[in-house]
Amino acid sequence: MKLICSKANLLKGVNIVSKAVPTRTTMAILECILIDASANEIKLMANDMELGIETIIDGTIEERGIIALDAKIFSEIVRKLPDNDVTIETDASFKTVISCEKAKFNIIGKSGDDFSYIPYVERNESIVLSQFTLKEVIRQTIFSIADNDNNKLMTGELFEIEENKLRVVSLDGHRISIRYIEMKNHYDSKKVVVPGKTLQEISKIIPGSADEDVVIYITNNHIVFEFENTTVVSRLIEGEYFKIDQMLSSDYDTKVRINKRELLDCIDRATLLVKEGDKKPIIMNITDGNMELRINSFIGSMNEDIDIDKDGKDIMIGFNPKFFIDALRVIDEEEVNLYMVNPKAPCFIKDDEGKFIYLILPVNFNTAAN
Amino acid sequence: MKLICSKANLLKGVNIVSKAVPTRTTMAILECILIDASANEIKLMANDMELGIETIIDGTIEERGIIALDAKIFSEIVRKLPDNDVTIETDASFKTVISCEKAKFNIIGKSGDDFSYIPYVERNESIVLSQFTLKEVIRQTIFSIADNDNNKLMTGELFEIEENKLRVVSLDGHRISIRYIEMKNHYDSKKVVVPGKTLQEISKIIPGSADEDVVIYITNNHIVFEFENTTVVSRLIEGEYFKIDQMLSSDYDTKVRINKRELLDCIDRATLLVKEGDKKPIIMNITDGNMELRINSFIGSMNEDIDIDKDGKDIMIGFNPKFFIDALRVIDEEEVNLYMVNPKAPCFIKDDEGKFIYLILPVNFNTAAN
């Protein structure tokens, strides 16, 4: 194989497919990036068996061929090459010479035959989202997937399509994040659970333009994302997702309208008194026009007042501050509404337009001790 | 004690003195920042018994007093406060209230009586350097102090003053870095070894302006740096520094003039084939007009040619690539001169003006194997 392409193109491609290279694996071939120049285009590919990514880069094929190169070494070499045309040449024994200007690297590759190719997925009805929307939706929900594998379904996000509505849900047993998106077209109903890892990696490689689209195909076992010259194929998580609709009551006894930045900064300040692992709640004491936030820990105590608009009953309620911080950080709105029923029922954070709902369960606190 | 100062001033002061707070200590009082408002100014102070820093910040003292506050918690609180006036108030039982706008923190301080004050150092003749020069000199030499305590003197840098010349030297047994500075005034001869840690911290807190000075006082046991509102006092390292002059011969058999950036980039590329701990030398094969660099490792091999100007004999010589990278990274000159005698004698990197000398010992390599 012999091919020539610019360092910039090569690096961009390598960075994209690297996201599907597993960090730990017992199969050495999975640690490789496949360069497939067996046809008329230069395709880079990586696959960790859950998630596969391929991307086509511009360049000239002088001699067709395929080679698998260790992803870590190959990407480090590419990153450090001068900004110029790069030549990659291999021989029958997989010796690979990567040269650029006067620099010349010799490494040993592996046969492309051993590579586990990305499965072929039938592409039927396609769903179209802008890159920007998909990236935003992931950012605004991914933080509340479970951080352990105890329940596989909690490590993914529900993508639920009905007519022209997409609902994306993540939950970890203490909180639920929901984003509603209105799409341009109507589609058949679908309900799949996409691995969180896939979404995290996708959101890193989507450029995020509002004018460019991502085309999504969904089958029984796979989801495919196509954008620019890149195709991402991921397995879906099997099983039936949690029924959340019964938890989304819109009744409330207290409604608070509050400046998001003030609330976030205040909770952020309060948490510096809480060391990792010691579960001190932040207590909100909500009265007419005022929210007093308090935290007590072994280090000291902190309290602060924030002006609010309040409808309904006074309430004193405690939360894990991290859950509030996570949700408030991804909200773009300047003001948010909090809806509460009682100190043991979940609090809902909502916007005016119905784009999102963040549900957070409260924690018990001993009023006397605080 | 009660004082009021802006968050910006307080934060700046806290960041400066924090550099003298030890990361690990068995004496809890050393983990504190002392706020001394017992006289007419607000002084912050920290001291790890080797290095002490004090800085004066603007503010209003409403009630005089002294308090010692845990450095980590205090600086985190200050960092997260809103950008406004901060009030710090303490009572007789060392309860401390830090308030800013509507935020109010309560923590427990310690008595200032327990604090280990910075020793009084007599200030005689002062040496003056610009902040810029001191910061540059540290950056250009600090990397070659020893990274372990086996020989205490190697963990510091020699500051040697003779007339209007300052020479700063660091060495670790494999290499020597020397910077020569011409000063405006003439001084009495002095030779002291300053702890590397002191210099590292100093270079972080000096703003680095070319128009502002640092005033330095040296006694038998201490060195004092004064700039702006800050005073840094450090112990010196006792003992006689290594005699290096006999190693600084200016004879050579090969002189190479080379573009610094090209050489650095090339060695940087080569080292990606070398994993930490496996000591593969970079081999320079120097002939008329050309330097070929080669590296061989378990991962693969790399070679590259660089155009040079050469005087004298051809030579093939091997080095630890890290030592070359460290030196080349801190050199500002576009071109440097390398002076060599034979593959077993040190290589000197010098500029045209005699501002610096970097001496690097070569390593053995088996010509046949490479």
Side-chain angles (χ1 to χ4, degrees), chain A residues 13 16-18 20 34 36 41-47 51-57 115 117-119 123 205 225-233:
Chain A
I16 290 174
V17 300
S18 289
L34 186 77
D36 180 351
E41 48 191 21
I42 306 172
K43 214 188 269 180
L44 303 183
M45 202 184 291
N47 184 9
L51 171 68
I53 305 180
E54 64 174 51
T55 193
I56 292 159
I57 59 171
F115 196 78
Y117 282 77
I118 296 171
R123 282 140 167 92
I205 59 178
F225 300 86
E226 286 183 353
F227 52 94
E228 296 174 6
N229 298 318
T230 302
T231 305
V232 178
V233 178

Side-chain angles (χ1 to χ4, degrees), chain B residues 22-46:
Chain B
T23 42
R24 268 190 300 270
T25 173
T26 49
M27 290 170 66
I29 191 74
L30 294 186
E31 289 171 340
C32 289
I33 290 174
L34 185 79
I35 305 177
D36 180 350
S38 59
N40 290 324
E41 49 191 18
I42 306 172
K43 213 189 272 180
L44 303 183
M45 203 183 292

